[in-house]
Amino acid sequence: MKDKHKSDTIILGALLSLSGGFQDAYTYVLRGNVFANAQTGNVVLMSQHLMTGDFRRAIHYLLPVFAFALGILVAEQIAHYFKKLKKIYWRHIIVILEIVVLFVVGFLPESMNTLANILVSFTCAMQVQAFRSLKGHSYASTMCIGNLRSGMESFSKYLRNRDRKDFVDSLYYFGIILIFAVGAGLGGVLSNLMGFKTILISCVILLVANLTMIEKK
């Protein structure tokens, strides 16, 4: 059954991507150079430290990967068990849970960076699992490579067919990448200025995102 809620709008996708970039910069700048969203980077760094015998650092990068996998599992379970609820939309549950977890992260000291990275990776995974559609097209709100591929594919089709729809589709993807980059830039700059509580800004962004999904009766 087609999802009739407002969960694939441009404004929602933009807010989620802004938050996604913000979170990635936050964990990298303040929480020990770990990527909250780009788990490929964590796997590369984990493998590098593993091969050099630095098992402590290897685990440092491995734990967020496990947390990301767990976040996917939890989001899928929430979708399965709460999708038919009439009083609350299941994606609201995902975003509210994300806000609560990130709020907690903002008050974790530097000595708990590993836990902070685990929690942020967990929430990013829930978001990327729950929000996968933008104007009817697949996209990712917490990473860029899939969006870049899809954007260039649409642009390539436009060059061949001159179909305006393909050109517009490519702009959607490139726009999301740009917004993610803006979020990452802001996250990096503000993290250096405001410290660990910078992640609370992401909570505000997600709160606004949640409000955009409210259906008017």
Side-chain angles (χ1 to χ4, degrees):
M1 183 175 65
K2 187 177 180 180
D3 196 337
K4 296 181 180 179
H5 286 80
K6 297 188 294 186
S7 60
D8 72 340
T9 62
I10 295 175
I11 183 63
L12 177 60
L15 289 168
L16 293 175
S17 294
L18 185 69
S19 178
F22 199 96
Q23 293 169 40
D24 227 10
Y26 171 82
T27 56
Y28 188 82
V29 172
L30 293 179
R31 297 296 189 175
N33 302 129
V34 171
F35 295 104
N37 303 326
Q39 297 305 320
T40 300
N42 290 333
V43 170
V44 170
L45 293 170
M46 179 271 296
S47 180
Q48 177 184 339
H49 288 292
L50 188 63
M51 293 297 179
T52 58
D54 190 348
F55 299 111
R56 186 183 66 83
R57 290 296 293 175
I59 292 174
H60 177 72
Y61 289 106
L62 180 61
L63 289 176
V65 177
F66 283 149
F68 195 91
L70 180 61
I72 297 291
L73 176 65
V74 170
E76 200 283 330
Q77 290 291 316
I78 290 175
H80 176 75
Y81 287 105
F82 296 96
K83 185 170 288 186
K84 294 183 180 180
L85 285 182
K86 295 182 178 180
K87 292 185 178 180
I88 185 170
Y89 183 35
W90 70 272
R91 286 190 173 94
H92 283 302
I93 298 175
I94 295 289
V95 178
I96 291 170
L97 182 56
E98 189 175 358
I99 291 171
V100 171
V101 173
L102 292 178
F103 184 84
V104 172
V105 169
F107 294 90
L108 295 180
E110 185 176 3
S111 61
M112 301 182 74
N113 275 357
T114 298
L115 177 59
N117 289 324
I118 288 172
L119 293 176
V120 177
S121 293
F122 175 79
T123 61
C124 286
M126 288 197 301
Q127 179 175 307
V128 78
Q129 173 67 13
F131 300 92
R132 296 183 291 175
S133 176
L134 176 68
K135 300 295 287 183
H137 301 285
S138 297
Y139 90 115
S141 63
T142 64
M143 56 196 74
C144 292
I145 188 166
N147 296 332
L148 181 58
R149 186 205 63 79
S150 297
M152 288 308 298
E153 180 182 30
S154 295
F155 186 66
S156 177
K157 290 179 179 178
Y158 168 74
L159 292 178
R160 291 198 309 271
N161 306 321
R162 297 298 174 179
D163 186 337
R164 185 175 180 276
K165 179 181 179 302
D166 290 327
F167 181 70
V168 172
D169 288 345
S170 70
L171 292 181
Y172 286 148
Y173 287 113
F174 297 146
I176 287 296
I177 294 171
L178 176 60
I179 292 169
F180 181 92
V182 170
L186 288 174
V189 171
L190 293 177
S191 291
N192 285 320
L193 293 174
M194 299 172 58
F196 294 133
K197 290 185 175 60
T198 306
I199 197 64
L200 300 182
I201 296 175
S202 191
C203 294
V204 175
I205 296 171
L206 290 170
L207 179 61
V208 176
N210 216 17
L211 293 175
T212 68
M213 290 190 292
I214 296 176
E215 292 288 316
K216 296 181 179 180
K217 303 297 183 182

